[in-house]
Amino acid sequence: MIKPRSRRGGGRPTISDVARKAGVGAITVSRALREPERVSEELRRQIHAAIDELGYVPDPNARALASARAEVFGVLVPSLTNNVFAEVVRGIYDSLSASPFRIQLGNTHYSGLEEERLLQLFGSQRPAALIVAGIDQTPTSRKLLESAGCPVVQVMETGPDPVDMMVGFSHLDGGRTATEHLIGAGYRRIGFIGARMDPRSQRRLAGYRAAMEAAGLFDPRLVTTTPVLSSVSLGREMFRDALAKMPTLDGVFCNNDDIALGVLFECHRASIAVPKTIGIVGFNDLDMMQVAFPSITSIRTHRYEIGRRAVAMALAAIAGNRPEQRIVDLGFELKRRESTAR
Amino acid sequence: MIKPRSRRGGGRPTISDVARKAGVGAITVSRALREPERVSEELRRQIHAAIDELGYVPDPNARALASARAEVFGVLVPSLTNNVFAEVVRGIYDSLSASPFRIQLGNTHYSGLEEERLLQLFGSQRPAALIVAGIDQTPTSRKLLESAGCPVVQVMETGPDPVDMMVGFSHLDGGRTATEHLIGAGYRRIGFIGARMDPRSQRRLAGYRAAMEAAGLFDPRLVTTTPVLSSVSLGREMFRDALAKMPTLDGVFCNNDDIALGVLFECHRASIAVPKTIGIVGFNDLDMMQVAFPSITSIRTHRYEIGRRAVAMALAAIAGNRPEQRIVDLGFELKRRESTAR
DNA sequence: ACCAAAGATGGTAGCGCTACCAAATTGGCG
DNA sequence: CGCCAATTTGGTAGCGCTACCATCTTTGGT
């Protein structure tokens, strides 16, 4: 005798329950949900009535197993607390909230190994798309991405060799623009202060260096970096170090806004006039930059928009019309403020 | 003739491939992975060798379908960019990264309706546990949580009536402590400035009010609130409003640190002496509070630890030993700094 | 009126895994 | 030395859904 296993799922209604109640085949219910246009209006109404009555919610696991494709976007970022990535992620969530896609978020902690592990893990779920931060994947990660069998969007940066698609901007140009602005404002002994020197920060530094060298101002002693995670207090400390090393400093381009804020506070504390004695430029243009006193010049980046755009491109690719422009440069904007208005 | 469907999964090895290669039954492979102690060491070695050689990764969807339980933690927070929740989430991720559990993160945007929708969605995945921010779920959400059939941890706050478990602290006590500190420091016309008045902020306000009334200092005109999302620039604006409304203000307790920072910057801009003319207290004690000039007194909360603790409790409950202490109060700490050192 | 093409619906057979039970093996003890 | 319990392994039958194909209409052209 065949005894059906007592409903493991705790009695939640299944697609067959709906089918029975609506007087149709299970497959028709499935179709009514996924390709409504292929089912007559009449049946569609009956089916939806049955769904409402039973409170049926499709099981995403069964769906993924049967269709060999999960309605999941895998998203990999190096940090959850860094405001910049938080905004990218927010853009992704907002763009996906009305879609059937779920999000699988991974935190790589800026580690290539961790990225490989998570990519491996995410791959086992057969995601509908992958969004990863950065363009400096390890060879293993890159291979994993290439063989993922789904659209891949690399975000935050642009570069010459996308795995599939890219949305971001040039950090090198950003660093150069920031530095050229300081030079143009009359600053000469301009330092670079950078925490958490990930590849993006490295490229900002390269931009700084290019601008300084072009102006004949570069001096390696002007550069202060650390691999430590960025924070406002770290910005303060690093600025003190930089000043100790190079007392004639008259400007700083900071890796990011947290560092810039730390520098500003230290200037207040040490009674160093901003922008008169020292000019400060940040990166990302967080809300607080325009409120600070004096307000801080920064490179505005379009984080939220990057998230939205990445999803839009992935969605288009899933729908079959891969955007012809595979690399999207959203640029940046120099926000001139009091901290460099000499 | 039965023609096996061409491997939908794109040829990834399955558990049977591993079993064949290791010369054992599929079920033994399954066991070797989930309950290794029930499999002889001999076979375990062979199986793992086969797994490594084939590069086998279990399909979580198939696993979830067969076992009616997904290795997923559902996590619901009201905001992804608010640093406070970002830290809770980070604590959760860090605690879970070495476990087989994945995380399904949902953003409710402070909306009860959105919370219900996400809970419904998450429920359909049969998560191993649910972690939700706050204790003010709608009746529908509450019912959804109670019938989730898995451990549930409400985080960020404590309260009398947990769905299952709770980790947090008393926002009312926090608000009271902050306000009493200002009163103790000699401030009298102490304002409350609060953005994004979610239930937690409401309770901080209640604590403020209790302290002010106890000292005979309460005046409704001292309270300035808005439902708008909190930001540093908003803090600045609200402080200006508060000052316009009540020019004799000599202190402010801010809803959170962003607001407090906005207040500080406006004081700089308007040449209002801190702490002499105005005392400032924030809430959460973000890193920048101790770096600010003057440094800002704040209520330090243990966000990261809340995330870790919530996971620990859920994990214990899953393992069958539900912690006897179902409500964990992690408290807070008043950090006295220059902004109230009159 | 007839037939091909297009549209709507259903049946069957898995997707990859694990719950449940059965069978085989081992060991301890009277 | 046999018997029962404990331990180790395997077989079978689904979990809830969808891909694939078959079947049954309907439509329109000649």
Side-chain angles (χ1 to χ4, degrees), chain A residues 8-9 12 57 66 93-94 102-105 109 117 120 124-126 232-233 265 269 287 292-293 338, chain B residues 8-9 12 57 66 93-94 97 102-105 109 120 124-126 232-233 265 269 287 292 338:
Chain A
R8 286 172 179 168
R12 296 192 343 146
V57 184
Y93 268 79
D94 286 358
R102 289 167 291 151
I103 295 167
Q104 190 65 42
L105 184 60
H109 292 95
R117 194 185 71 82
Q120 178 86 43
S124 73
Q125 294 183 62
R126 311 166 187 295
V232 180
S233 52
F265 282 135
R269 203 167 283 277
D287 164 63
F293 179 77
E338 295 162 353
Chain B
R8 285 173 179 166
R12 296 191 344 147
V57 183
Y93 268 79
D94 285 358
S97 69
R102 289 167 292 152
I103 295 167
Q104 190 66 39
L105 184 60
H109 292 95
Q120 178 86 43
S124 72
Q125 293 184 62
R126 313 169 187 293
V232 181
S233 52
F265 281 135
R269 204 167 280 278
D287 164 64
E338 295 162 353

Side-chain angles (χ1 to χ4, degrees), chain B residues 283-340:
Chain B
F283 203 99
N284 282 321
D285 196 33
L286 304 187
D287 164 64
M288 60 175 99
M289 293 293 105
Q290 63 167 316
V291 186
F293 179 75
S295 61
I296 303 176
T297 299
S298 193
I299 299 286
R300 163 159 287 257
T301 57
H302 310 292
R303 289 96 58 189
Y304 183 77
E305 187 56 28
I306 286 175
R308 299 208 64 123
R309 206 49 180 278
V311 169
M313 290 171 77
L315 249 21
I318 290 169
N321 36 14
R322 208 173 212 78
E324 77 230 40
Q325 201 191 347
R326 292 177 25 167
I327 302 180
V328 175
D329 188 337
L330 255 27
F332 54 83
E333 208 179 323
L334 174 71
K335 293 285 188 182
R336 294 154 202 268
R337 302 227 177 76
E338 295 162 353
S339 72
T340 55

Side-chain angles (χ1 to χ4, degrees), chain A residues 79 81-85 110 193-196 204 228-239 252-266 280-289 292 296-299 303, chain B residues 83 87 232 258 261 265 286-289 291-292:
Chain A
S79 159
T81 40
N82 182 326
N83 189 283
V84 172
F85 295 109
Y110 293 96
I193 299 185
R196 172 76 276 170
R204 289 174 206 168
V228 175
L229 260 175
S230 164
S231 70
V232 180
S233 52
L234 185 62
R236 180 187 172 194
E237 284 164 35
M238 291 185 75
F239 179 59
V252 281
F253 166 43
C254 303
N255 186 35
N256 66 44
D257 287 345
D258 286 342
I259 300 293
L261 195 60
V263 171
L264 177 67
F265 282 135
E266 178 58 17
I280 305 174
V281 177
F283 203 100
N284 282 321
D285 196 34
L286 304 186
D287 164 63
M288 60 174 102
M289 293 293 104
I296 303 176
T297 299
S298 193
I299 298 286
R303 288 95 58 189
Chain B
N83 189 283
E87 293 236 319
V232 181
D258 286 342
L261 194 60
F265 281 135
L286 304 187
D287 164 64
M288 60 175 99
M289 293 293 105
V291 186

Side-chain angles (χ1 to χ4, degrees), chain B residues 204-219:
Chain B
R204 290 174 206 168
L205 172 54
Y208 156 86
R209 183 168 177 156
M212 290 296 274
E213 282 177 343
L217 294 173
F218 184 70
D219 180 335

Side-chain angles (χ1 to χ4, degrees), chain A residues 95-117:
Chain A
S95 299
L96 244 25
S97 69
S99 82
F101 294 98
R102 289 167 291 151
I103 295 167
Q104 190 65 42
L105 184 60
N107 180 0
T108 67
H109 292 95
Y110 293 96
S111 151
L113 238 63
E114 186 64 10
E115 183 168 62
E116 288 172 13
R117 194 185 71 82

Side-chain angles (χ1 to χ4, degrees), chain B residues 36-302:
Chain B
E37 71 284 357
R38 309 240 295 104
V39 175
S40 71
E41 207 185 324
E42 165 70 8
L43 283 190
R44 228 156 37 190
R45 239 201 338 278
Q46 288 177 38
I47 289 170
H48 278 107
I51 286 174
D52 289 345
E53 194 172 338
L54 294 172
Y56 168 72
V57 183
D59 182 330
N61 297 119
R63 190 172 262 189
L65 183 58
S67 66
R69 184 55 70 200
E71 291 184 318
V72 170
F73 271 51
V75 178
L76 244 42
V77 292
S79 160
L80 259 22
T81 41
N82 182 327
N83 189 283
V84 172
F85 294 110
E87 293 236 319
V88 174
V89 169
R90 187 169 64 90
I92 294 171
Y93 268 79
D94 285 358
S95 300
L96 244 24
S97 69
S99 82
F101 294 98
R102 289 167 292 152
I103 295 167
Q104 190 66 39
L105 184 60
N107 179 358
T108 68
H109 292 95
Y110 293 96
S111 150
L113 237 62
E114 187 64 9
E115 184 168 61
E116 288 173 14
R117 194 185 71 83
L118 288 167
L119 238 25
Q120 178 86 43
L121 194 69
F122 284 18
S124 72
Q125 293 184 62
R126 313 169 187 293
L130 285 170
I131 299 178
V132 299
I135 61 176
D136 302 278
Q137 280 76 29
T138 63
T140 305
S141 287
R142 178 135 190 144
K143 220 163 290 161
L144 250 18
L145 286 173
E146 279 163 353
S147 63
C150 68
V152 174
V153 190
Q154 292 162 291
V155 295
M156 292 311 289
E157 287 189 80
T158 52
D161 186 24
V163 171
D164 183 4
M165 295 174 282
M166 269 182 181
V167 195
F169 62 94
S170 164
H171 291 251
L172 190 138
D173 288 352
R176 177 163 32 212
T177 300
T179 311
E180 283 171 350
H181 168 67
L182 279 163
I183 295 169
Y187 297 98
R188 287 295 169 268
R189 309 282 296 165
I190 301 162
F192 176 91
I193 299 185
R196 171 78 275 171
M197 292 303 288
D198 62 19
R200 285 165 293 285
S201 291
Q202 297 285 2
R203 282 188 269 273
R204 290 174 206 168
L205 172 54
Y208 156 86
R209 183 168 177 156
M212 290 296 274
E213 282 177 343
L217 294 173
F218 184 70
D219 180 335
R221 289 170 303 167
L222 288 166
V223 175
T224 310
T225 64
T226 166
V228 174
L229 261 174
S230 164
S231 70
V232 181
S233 52
L234 184 63
R236 179 185 173 197
E237 283 164 35
M238 290 184 75
F239 179 58
R240 284 205 289 212
D241 292 351
L243 217 49
K245 198 165 62 180
M246 186 67 76
T248 58
L249 214 60
D250 71 352
V252 282
F253 166 44
C254 304
N255 185 34
N256 66 44
D257 287 345
D258 286 342
I259 300 293
L261 194 60
V263 171
L264 177 67
F265 281 135
E266 177 59 17
C267 286
H268 280 313
R269 204 167 280 278
S271 299
I272 297 169
V274 177
K276 193 153 183 289
T277 310
I278 292 254
I280 305 174
V281 177
F283 203 99
N284 282 321
D285 196 33
L286 304 187
D287 164 64
M288 60 175 99
M289 293 293 105
Q290 63 167 316
V291 186
F293 179 75
S295 61
I296 303 176
T297 299
S298 193
I299 299 286
R300 163 159 287 257
T301 57
H302 310 292

